[in-house]
Structures are given as structure tokens and as C-alpha cells.
Amino acid sequence: MKKDSLLKSSLWISLSGILSRILSVVYIIPWNIWIGPVAVGAANALYGKVYNIYNLFLIIATAGIPSAISKEVAAHNALGRFDQSEKLFKKYTIYMSLVGVVLAFIMFFGAKYVAIVLAAGDMRVVTPIKYLSVAMLIIPALGILRGYIQGYAFISYSAFSQVIEQIARVAYMLYATYTIMILQKGNYMTAVNQSTLASFIGATLAYLFLLWIRVKVRRSVTVTDIKTTTDIPTDENIPDINFNSMLRSAIPFLLVDTIMTVLQLFDQTTFTWIYELILHASQRTIDDLYAMFGFQANKLIMILVSLAISVSASVIPALSAMISRKVGPKEIQKLMQNIVQFTMFIILPATFGMIAISRQLWTVFVFYDQSILGSKVLMVSCLEAFFYCVFMILENILQVSHHVKKSLIYLAIAYLLKIVLQLPLTLAMGVYGPLVASTIAFMVMGHFAFRLINKQFQVVDKALSKKLLRILVDGLIMLVVVAVADFLVVKVISDATKIGATIVIIICGLIGVAVYGFLSYKDGSLKILKDIRDTKIY
């Protein structure tokens, strides 16, 4: 088996992440149709709450260990110590499997108390949490196996397993929902329960696929590749991995990557409390409003988040390598400028594009009769996602550039801002309140993070300012053109149906890409793609 190159690895990470996000959005269309307009708000709210809780348990179950395992396996293999890689893999498979069993036990037998703490006492989440507990039996071991495969430099197989997991999960969800809601005329609660069980189905298939790949990986190691400990010079011997040190290096990155999940848990609890205890709203109203910003809009903006993750995966390793090699400040400054420009070049037009066609997006993925309020919620969510993406990339840069303490301080302040702003903004702005509170927190702390980075690397100069201004102008022109095109197209093609809205999205999307591409080519902004492509990591 031929090991993956860096370019191939980055490409697979990006494609698998984006494809998984797209699948997680596309399934909403038939799922919502089969659930029906009467129960869709409650079903989406329930499903969103349960999966936010599940994501928190996933954070606890993995704690960044798979990435650390990948690094250690790669280090051992580089010296021919494949026997140590196997010991490492077996040791932590057992350890993480036990962690999974404990968490599954807590989720199953403590589901009632989990609902009280993390879902504002919504007892409807109890049964779905129990269904999801089964997945915890295999998810931690799956993470270790992925890290092991990555350590052998077969990134593409690890990434492909994520696609398999997502396809299997979505396929089972749709099959179960169609059977229950259409064929059996059942209850939406039963459909949600079976939809949560789909996580176990997907994880199991991904695990079986990687077990097969592990056999092929082991066969790829020849006798001549293997060295004994006595064959390796003393100074090249790698000490046994220390679990505590692994956690210390993994947790800071983990805290940054999971801030969105933690804030969503905070939203689903406080939003319910505010609307129940202060505004005295009905359960139907709470479900419909929470489903809008906490599940439906959130699913759509995760496509933007996946773009940011891809940017980080592509350019952050280059910065880490430069700092490790102690290259000159000019080289690091140039790379930092490329990172900033590339981030804006990718994420800004994507955000503007989603805002311009927000009503049609809502019609396609939810329902037309909710599209006016829903599109406004989606617009605010897009702004939240944009500043979150920028904040996340800046936080990762801080940690790579040895500002871990400052990074965690900024993270803590972001949480504090969110907590302080949540109540007054929700009372003043209703469904937009939690989104605006998060946006402000990301904006403020993103500003401080960028100011620190700029102080160290002198990122901003006149040349970069002009480039960023051109990108902003190009994006705004594209936004206006697409908005006008959207207004004119709907005069000819009705966007009241999902098919009509899809056609409008395709037409306006192509216009947006053409306009932004043309403007970027004419003013030179497009050159950033070549600069990033030519960036060498080692």
C-alpha cells in the first residue's frame, strides 16, 4: 500500500469534511417532509437537543486522544518500531473502550438527570439519549483506530471512513423515518428515536471498514522495515507515551474546536428557561423557535464551519513547521498574511452567498411557510458562523505560536460574554438573541486574538489591507448582484416549492460564483490560491 502524500491527505480531509457536512444538511429535506409540517418543529428541536448532548459526551469520550495516538504511532513507525505502535494501539483501544462503556452507562441509566441538567428538564430527550448511548460503546475505539491508521500515513482511508459513517447514518435515518411516518403512520417521537440509533449503525460500519484496512496496513510492513530496540541509537529511542502529557497537549485544541457545541448546549437550556419562566411561551412556540436557530439554521451554517476547518487543516501545519524550524520572521509574516487573506477569500463570499439566497435555502431544507422568519434567522446565523470561523482559526494560530495560556483566557472571556449577554439579548431580540450574543462574543475575542498575533508577526501592512479591502468589495458586489438576480428570478420562477427554490439557488449560485470569480481575477485577489498551493510545509 502506497502512503498518502501531504497534498492528497489535505485534499481528503477537506473533501470528507465538506461531503459529510453536505450529507448532514441534504437529509433534512426528505426527513422534514416525512415528519410533516405539524410535528417538524418539535422533531427538529428534540433532535437538535439530543445531538448537542451527544456531542458533549463525544468530546469527553475522545478528548483529542486519536490525534495524539496518530502522532505517536507515526513517531514509532519512523524508527521501525512497529511493535511499539501495536502495543500503543492495543493499550489505548482497551482504555478508550472502557471510557466508552462508562459513558454509555451514564447516558443510559442517568438519561433522566442528563435531561434535567442539559435540556432544561425536557423529558422527551430521555429515550433518544438512551438510544444514543449504544453508539458510545464503539465511538471511542473507532477514534483510536482512525488515529492508528493516520499514524501509518494512510489519511485517505481514515477520511473515507468518515464518509462511510455519514452515508450509513443518513441512509438508516431516512429508511427508518420513511417506514415509521409514511408506511406505518407512526409518531414523530419514534422516528427521532430510530434516527438517533443511526449513529451506532454508521460508527459500526466505519469501524469494520477500518479493521479491514488495518489488516492491509499490517501486511504492508515488510520484515526489513522492522527494527528491534537494540538496532536504534539510544538518542532516537522514544519513551513510553505519558497519558497525562498527551491530555495536556490535546485539551487546549479540543476546547477551541468544541466551543460551538458547548454554546449550543447553553442555548438550548437557557432559551427554554427564558421563554418558559419569563415570557411564559407555550411548548410549541419554544420548539418552533429553538428548532429554527438551534437545528435548522445551524445545520446550514455548518457548511461554512467545514470550510474554516479545511482552511485550518491546510495552512496551520505550515505555520507550526515554520515556527519549529525557527525560520526568519519575514517568512512567517508572509505565511500569516496568506492565511488571513485566504481565510477571508474563502469564507466571506460563502457567507454573503448564503445570506443572499437565505429564503430559498430555508424553503428547500425546511418549509416555505416558515421562510420569512427562517431566512432572517439564517442571515444572523451566517454572521455568527463567519465570526466563529475567524475566531476558531485565530485561536488555533495562537496555540501553534505558543500562546496557549492567552488562547484559553480569550476562550474563557468569550464564554463569559456569552453568559452575560444571553438573557438581555434574548428578552430584547427574541429568537435572534442567542445568535447575536454568540456573534458579539466571537467578534470581541477574535479582535483581541488578532491583535496579539499582529503584534508578534506584524501581519497587517498597507499591501494586506488593500488586498482585504478588495476581497470585501468583491464580496459586497457579489452580494448585491445575487440579491438583485434572486429578486428578478423569482418573478419568473416561483420559489414557493422545493423544486422551484432549488432552481433559483442553482441560477443565483452560478451567477455569484461567476461574478466573484471575475472580480477576483481582475483585481488580483485570485492569486492567493496559487500562493497557498505553493506553500511548503516541510
Side-chain angles (χ1 to χ4, degrees), residues 172-396:
Y172 182 80
M173 284 181 64
L174 296 181
Y175 164 76
T177 303
Y178 181 81
T179 301
I180 293 167
M181 299 301 296
I182 303 301
L183 299 183
Q184 299 177 355
K185 308 297 180 183
N187 185 275
Y188 79 90
M189 287 289 296
T190 307
V192 170
N193 292 340
Q194 289 299 316
S195 295
T196 55
L197 183 63
S199 292
F200 171 74
I201 305 295
T204 301
L205 288 179
Y207 191 73
L208 292 174
F209 169 75
L210 287 180
L211 283 178
W212 173 62
I213 293 300
R214 179 175 181 264
V215 173
K216 297 182 67 176
V217 165
R218 290 296 295 158
R219 288 176 180 172
S220 70
V221 178
T222 63
V223 176
T224 55
D225 292 331
I226 301 174
K227 298 178 183 178
T228 63
T229 305
T230 56
D231 295 328
I232 306 171
T234 304
D235 61 347
E236 290 190 23
N237 278 319
I238 301 174
D240 290 336
I241 191 168
N242 184 292
F243 190 72
N244 291 330
S245 64
M246 187 195 301
L247 277 178
R248 281 196 298 271
S249 63
I251 285 178
F253 283 98
L254 184 76
L255 292 175
V256 174
D257 293 341
T258 56
I259 183 173
M260 187 62 91
T261 298
V262 176
L263 292 186
Q264 286 168 353
L265 283 169
F266 181 73
D267 282 341
Q268 74 182 31
T269 302
T270 56
F271 185 80
T272 301
W273 285 343
I274 291 169
Y275 265 72
E276 276 185 353
L277 303 179
I278 300 178
L279 300 178
H280 306 293
S282 66
Q283 186 64 56
R284 174 71 180 270
T285 299
I286 296 172
D287 283 344
D288 288 344
L289 292 178
Y290 175 76
M292 278 189 176
F293 81 88
F295 179 77
Q296 293 154 350
N298 182 64
K299 281 287 186 181
L300 291 168
I301 65 170
M302 289 310 288
I303 296 176
L304 295 177
V305 174
S306 70
L307 289 175
I309 293 172
S310 299
V311 171
S312 295
S314 301
V315 298
I316 298 304
L319 175 62
S320 178
M322 279 190 172
I323 293 175
S324 298
R325 296 202 315 266
K326 298 181 179 179
V327 302
K330 287 293 183 183
E331 288 187 60
I332 295 180
Q333 180 193 42
K334 180 61 177 176
L335 177 64
M336 289 296 304
Q337 290 176 339
N338 285 344
I339 291 175
V340 172
Q341 188 181 348
F342 182 64
T343 300
M344 292 298 105
F345 181 82
I346 295 295
I347 299 176
L348 195 65
T351 304
F352 285 161
M354 288 188 68
I355 289 174
I357 56 173
S358 58
R359 180 161 180 171
Q360 287 75 33
L361 284 171
W362 200 268
T363 299
V364 169
F365 293 104
V366 193
F367 288 107
Y368 176 74
D369 59 358
Q370 298 177 336
S371 62
I372 296 177
L373 177 59
S375 63
K376 294 177 182 177
V377 171
L378 181 55
M379 289 180 187
V380 180
S381 295
C382 285
L383 294 176
E384 177 202 15
F386 172 78
F387 287 106
Y388 165 70
C389 291
V390 173
F391 173 78
M392 183 182 70
I393 292 172
L394 291 174
E395 283 282 295
N396 282 323

Side-chain angles (χ1 to χ4, degrees), residues 56 89-90 95 105 195 322-323 325 466 478 481 536:
L56 178 64
F89 169 69
K90 293 174 182 177
Y95 175 83
F105 183 89
S195 295
M322 279 190 172
I323 293 175
R325 296 202 315 266
K466 290 180 180 177
M478 183 206 71
V481 171
K536 305 295 183 184

Side-chain angles (χ1 to χ4, degrees), residues 32 65 69 120 123 131 159 170 180 236 321 381 415 433 496 505:
N32 281 342
I65 300 302
I69 291 292
M123 290 298 111
Y131 273 87
V170 169
I180 293 167
E236 290 190 23
S381 295
Y415 280 123
I505 288 173

Side-chain angles (χ1 to χ4, degrees), residues 499-513:
I499 295 176
T502 301
I503 295 172
V504 174
I505 288 173
I506 292 172
I507 294 173
C508 292
L510 291 174
I511 292 173
V513 171

